[in-house]
Structures are given as structure tokens and as C-alpha cells.
Amino acid sequence: MRLISSAVLFILFLAIFSGCSFGIIQSSQPSEKAVKKVQKENTHSNQKSESQTEDTPSVKVASQKNEDGLPVVANPDSVSVLVNKQYALPDNYAPKDLVYPNVPFLFQNKIEKRQLRKPAARALEKLFAGAKKDGINLAGVSGYRSHVTQTVLFNNYAKKDGKEKALMYCALPGTSEHETGLSIDVSGSDGKYAATTAFNHTKEAEWLSKHASDYGFIVRYPEGKEKITGYEFEAWHIRYVGVAISKELAKHGWTLEEYYHTVPVSK
Ligand SMILES: [Zn+2]
């Protein structure tokens, strides 16, 4: 019994120090301008899709919704999977190729949040090496988070503050991109401002926004796209999508939502 309590406490400890502050939820509705912009782009993409149907990226969903009523993605293992407040991972999803990327983290232990899926981990090693060449020393803050950890974390906050309020600062289980094993929060190697808005205008943040796409990563919640992603600007949260997509997004200034032509995420 004592062992079980200790295990629960340990999970809670990990969860809390993994941080749930990422993913501050936009409670406001998308502005008319943002909606029109996306509608316009949708129209444009529809026109394009008539001649290039097979090239048009689309979100693939399973026939059943999850218990929160959200569509569940049918391709959770794809490196280009879309996971956000509108598209969830299957409840039982766990990546099968998690590894420990060979890069410095702000902590020493080999724990869950030090892991990433293999393709993301190998690309992250190259990204860190590239940053170092430019005099930017990065460190990992928080990578993979299991569905169980996210559930414990969310339920804990919901118990304390109520579900509505918890949703303002913590992603629903299944909708945190950290559960894909393709996303990681990074900081400067001194850990200053790690995963806080103060990081957003540091030289490390500037380097990431300029160069992440060269390594197959995107700054997933960029500045000015809050109404589309549903997240405040998080310069520290990078997501692996592979070089082909990261470069396309960088070229057009798109978020992953815009790439897939989904409606803006508002809650
Ligand atoms: Zn994050």
C-alpha cells in the first residue's frame, strides 16, 4: 500500500515538474478576421485540391469519438499527425520507438520526459549541434509525457480547481502534443526562463524560430497564430514533423492547422 502511495506521489511529482503551464488555453472565440483568413485559405486550397487531390494533406480520423466527444486521429504513429484541442490521440496510444536523445537536459535522470520518438530524437541531436555551432547552447526541459501522466495531472488539477478552470491551463488527456513523443520544450542551457513567456524573446527563441525548420521541427504555437492554434505563443515548444513539412510550413508561414486546412481552434 505504501509502495502504491509512493508511486502515485512520484507520478504526481513528475507530472507537476513536467509543467502543465504549456498549453495555456485561449478562452476567447476566434476573431472574425482570423476565421475569414482561414476560410479564404480553405477556399484557395479547395481550388488547388481539384487538380492535386492526392497531394492535399488531410486529417484522418477514426470512426469513434473519445469520451470527451473529440474526433480521434487514425494515424497516431505518423510524424505529421495533428493533435490539438480538436483532434485527440487514441486513449491507449503509446509510441513504440521512444529513446533518450543524446542532448543535455536541465536534469540528469533518465525519466519519462527525457524521451522522444526515435526520428524526433535523432533530429533534435542535429538541431542542438547546429545551434551550438551558432553559439546557442540549448537544453531539453520536457519531452514525452504518457497518457497516464497527463491523465493524473489533469485529474489532479480538475479536482482542485474544477474541470472548466483546469482546462484553462492544462491540456485534456489525449490532446497534449507531448503525448505524441514528437514534441519537446527546450530552453537555454542555463535553464533561465524555461517554459515561461520570458523565454519568448531570448536569443535561443530567436534561433529556434529561424532554424528549427532546417531540422524538421516547427515552433508549434507561434506568435500571432494564437486564434488558430488555440495556444498562447510558446517559443520553447517545438514539434518534429519531418523536413519536408517543416520547410513547407516555414515557406508559407503556416501552422500545422493551416497546413491541414482545419478550422481555427478556439477552445
Ligand atoms: Zn510543450
Side-chain angles (χ1 to χ4, degrees):
M1 189 61 195
R2 191 187 288 170
L3 194 68
I4 293 171
S5 322
S6 307
V8 168
L9 274 178
F10 182 63
I11 288 174
L12 275 177
F13 173 83
L14 289 184
I16 287 158
F17 286 91
S18 308
C20 215
S21 56
F22 45 78
I24 295 169
I25 289 161
Q26 280 279 316
S27 54
S28 58
Q29 291 298 310
S31 71
E32 213 174 297
K33 202 173 143 200
V35 176
K36 274 193 184 141
K37 185 169 175 279
V38 173
Q39 280 170 345
K40 199 173 146 207
E41 284 167 9
N42 279 344
T43 311
H44 176 71
S45 72
N46 289 343
Q47 284 166 355
K48 192 175 99 185
S49 70
E50 280 166 22
S51 54
Q52 301 180 330
T53 318
E54 71 273 21
D55 293 326
T56 306
S58 62
V59 183
K60 294 165 186 67
V61 294
S63 52
Q64 296 286 323
K65 291 188 173 179
N66 73 2
E67 59 177 25
D68 295 305
L70 289 175
V72 174
V73 292
N75 58 340
D77 277 322
S78 165
V79 296
S80 61
V81 65
L82 179 70
V83 174
N84 62 19
K85 288 165 189 168
Q86 292 186 329
Y87 294 97
L89 287 164
D91 281 348
N92 58 358
Y93 179 69
K96 289 169 200 73
D97 54 351
L98 291 169
V99 296
Y100 295 101
N102 188 19
V103 299
F105 272 73
L106 292 183
F107 52 89
Q108 298 302 321
N109 302 347
K110 281 197 161 184
I111 52 177
E112 182 180 281
K113 64 178 179 177
R114 202 187 181 100
Q115 295 176 299
L116 278 184
R117 285 189 56 197
K118 202 171 179 182
R122 298 291 95 96
L124 188 76
E125 288 160 0
K126 290 186 185 133
L127 181 147
F128 271 45
K132 199 168 186 177
K133 270 191 198 152
D134 289 344
I136 301 291
N137 293 306
L138 300 172
V141 179
S142 184
Y144 174 62
R145 189 172 317 126
S146 71
H147 191 71
V148 170
T149 301
Q150 188 71 23
T151 304
V152 170
L153 184 61
F154 184 82
N155 289 348
N156 188 42
Y157 284 125
K159 212 169 174 183
K160 187 168 145 260
D161 288 337
K163 194 175 170 182
E164 284 285 290
K165 211 167 164 195
L167 273 172
M168 301 293 287
Y169 58 81
C170 190
L172 263 180
T175 70
S176 168
E177 244 199 5
H178 286 272
E179 291 177 48
T180 63
L182 298 168
S183 289
I184 180 165
D185 299 331
V186 297
S187 75
S189 58
D190 59 3
K192 221 174 162 185
Y193 314 130
T196 66
T197 51
F199 177 76
N200 285 343
H201 299 286
T202 58
K203 62 181 193 306
E204 290 85 6
E206 203 177 304
W207 189 92
L208 286 169
S209 95
K210 253 193 219 155
H211 301 287
S213 64
D214 296 339
Y215 302 90
F217 282 89
I218 55 170
V219 174
R220 182 67 179 86
Y221 310 119
E223 191 166 28
K225 302 278 186 167
E226 296 84 352
K227 299 274 161 63
I228 293 169
T229 62
Y231 284 84
E232 297 291 348
F233 177 33
E234 290 190 3
W236 60 88
H237 177 111
I238 57 171
R239 153 73 194 273
Y240 182 72
V241 289
V243 170
I245 295 178
S246 67
K247 292 212 163 155
E248 192 174 349
L249 296 191
K251 188 173 127 197
H252 296 286
W254 286 341
T255 60
L256 206 52
E257 282 77 15
E258 289 165 293
Y259 174 75
Y260 281 117
H261 313 295
T262 62
V263 293
V265 176
S266 61
K267 61 183 178 178

